[in-house]
Amino acid sequence: MDFNIGKVKFSSKKTVIIAEAGVNHLGRMDYAEELIKTAKRAGADIIKFQTYKAKNLTIRDAPRFWNWEGERDDKGSQYDSYSILDSFGRKEYEKLFSLCEQYGIEFLSTPFDNESAKMLVDIGMKGFKIASGDITNIPFIRYIGSLKLPVLLSTGASTIDEIRNAVEVIEENGCTNIGIMQCTLCYPTEPENANLNAIKHIASEFKKHLIGLSDHTLGTIIPAASILYGVSFIEKHYTFDKTLPDSADHWLSLDEKKLSQLVEYVRILEKSLGESHKQKMPCETDTHKFARRSLVSQKNLRKGHILTQNDLTCKRPGTGLPPAYYDRFIGRKTKRDIPEDTLLKISDIE
């Protein structure tokens, strides 16, 4: 089922690239503008932020689920990390929305509570991303569904039954435009844990929904390869400077050069997919003629000669009788003198 988020069309024809900026702006609007500008320049269709307040997201001593040397306090909690990065309010998000319009890239942000979701809709956001951690947060996803905007649902650390339940809740509350993303919720995800085959499983279970990938592997190989599994959109963490402090996302994100590379690979792979059935391609017309073989006389043959295997061979080009005619010529009498190395015709035999 095709749908739009703002000016961006989600369909099976062109893969949407989402630059996941998260809170890599570090609470600075100049950094946020740089993220927006460079993501657009790299070829992203959407730049996605995250909207939360630490006090609404986590208790104060919730353990971190990532290991990053750049934390201010390496023994701190989730609350300690998130509270450093949650300074943006409505005014700042209005500015982000305006900057995205200015640079021609669609604005998106993942809300982590109802208040944030409502604020984002009020400023003009045209769709939602639900984070993997909220796939079982039924009251929240019920509210998101009720807003009736397209939803991208991430599925890290979930089962197919949990995905099905979340999709049903979203649909029951008024939203039918849902994209479901295969995701492995490990930071970073090692290649052996990417589980791209799960894309096919999800697609088989949710045939009326588009399927995407939210990727946490390092580099561009695995997200680009997901094109071969039929994804319609790819989300990848993004920063303009991988050496920046405070956010654990910087070091595992793509920078502008690598995001450009991912976009390039995806566009090439899209072209390479072709049709869903095997056929001769237009570019193969000449090779079809000249690289195949035809039935050829192996020696000079006199008129009236009874043909044997020693008289025939198969050589290029393929513009004569195909080798499938070989057996039909054995034991037949020639109707004319035939020089060696001649493309044979049906009219050459009685």
Side-chain angles (χ1 to χ4, degrees), residues 64 68-77 80-81 84 246:
R64 293 173 179 144
W68 178 59
E69 294 177 355
E71 293 283 0
R72 293 188 188 180
D73 179 2
D74 60 6
K75 295 180 181 178
S77 66
D80 297 326
S81 298
I84 295 169
D246 294 339

Side-chain angles (χ1 to χ4, degrees), residues 232-252:
S232 299
F233 53 104
I234 297 171
E235 178 188 67
K236 187 72 174 173
H237 281 270
Y238 178 70
T239 184
F240 68 89
D241 183 351
K242 291 169 68 69
T243 67
L244 287 171
D246 294 339
S247 170
D249 286 345
H250 287 301
W251 73 275
L252 59 79

Side-chain angles (χ1 to χ4, degrees), residues 18-74:
I18 304 170
E20 162 67 289
V23 287
N24 282 344
H25 51 69
L26 306 183
R28 293 180 49 165
M29 191 56 65
D30 58 334
Y31 282 8
E33 182 170 6
E34 190 69 11
L35 286 164
I36 293 166
K37 177 175 68 176
T38 57
K40 172 64 177 179
R41 196 160 62 197
D45 302 290
I46 294 173
I47 185 164
K48 192 188 74 62
F49 298 93
Q50 294 177 7
T51 306
Y52 59 77
K53 293 298 180 183
K55 65 179 182 179
N56 297 329
L57 180 60
T58 177
I59 63 174
R60 288 185 175 270
D61 59 353
R64 293 173 179 144
F65 52 90
W66 62 88
N67 182 19
W68 178 59
E69 294 177 355
E71 293 283 0
R72 293 188 188 180
D73 179 2
D74 60 6

Side-chain angles (χ1 to χ4, degrees), residues 18 27 33 35 43 56 73 76 84 97 113 123 125 153-154 174 209 211 213 219 246 260 264 269-270 278 308 323 349:
I18 304 170
E33 182 170 6
L35 286 164
N56 297 329
D73 179 2
I84 295 169
F97 189 89
D113 54 73
I123 69 171
M125 193 171 78
L153 177 66
S154 195
H209 296 298
I211 308 300
L213 176 71
D246 294 339
S260 296
E264 178 185 5
L269 287 166
E270 284 174 335
K278 175 62 179 173
T308 69
I349 57 174

Side-chain angles (χ1 to χ4, degrees), residues 186-338:
C186 299
Y187 298 91
T189 298
E190 297 298 329
E192 58 267 29
N193 293 320
N195 198 16
L196 292 183
N197 277 324
I199 295 168
K200 296 188 289 186
H201 183 200
I202 295 169
S204 71
E205 295 286 336
F206 302 94
K207 292 183 172 62
K208 69 177 184 177
H209 296 298
L210 295 177
I211 308 300
L213 176 71
S214 178
D215 181 63
H216 296 126
T217 64
L218 298 178
T220 59
I221 294 174
I222 287 171
S226 70
I227 293 298
L228 306 178
Y229 291 77
V231 300
S232 299
F233 53 104
I234 297 171
E235 178 188 67
K236 187 72 174 173
H237 281 270
Y238 178 70
T239 184
F240 68 89
D241 183 351
K242 291 169 68 69
T243 67
L244 287 171
D246 294 339
S247 170
D249 286 345
H250 287 301
W251 73 275
L252 59 79
S253 298
L254 300 183
D255 58 15
E256 182 182 354
K257 181 178 179 180
K258 284 294 186 179
L259 182 59
S260 296
Q261 182 186 73
L262 174 60
V263 173
E264 178 185 5
Y265 289 169
V266 166
R267 300 301 172 226
I268 291 170
L269 287 166
E270 284 174 335
K271 293 178 182 178
S272 78
L273 290 175
E275 305 297 331
S276 58
H277 58 279
K278 175 62 179 173
Q279 62 178 343
K280 183 178 71 176
M281 302 302 290
C283 69
E284 295 177 304
T285 299
D286 285 343
T287 51
H288 181 265
K289 288 181 180 179
F290 303 123
R292 292 192 171 192
R293 301 192 185 215
S294 298
L295 198 58
V296 173
S297 56
Q298 189 156 252
K299 59 181 71 170
N300 291 324
L301 302 172
R302 301 296 297 272
K303 179 180 178 181
H305 178 72
I306 304 297
L307 294 169
T308 69
Q309 292 182 355
N310 294 330
D311 299 321
L312 306 175
T313 190
C314 298
K315 293 184 179 182
R316 294 178 179 181
T319 52
L321 293 174
Y325 280 79
Y326 184 91
D327 291 342
R328 293 178 60 178
F329 272 68
I330 301 299
R332 304 292 289 275
K333 186 183 293 185
T334 58
K335 294 173 64 175
R336 67 181 180 96
D337 291 341
I338 302 173

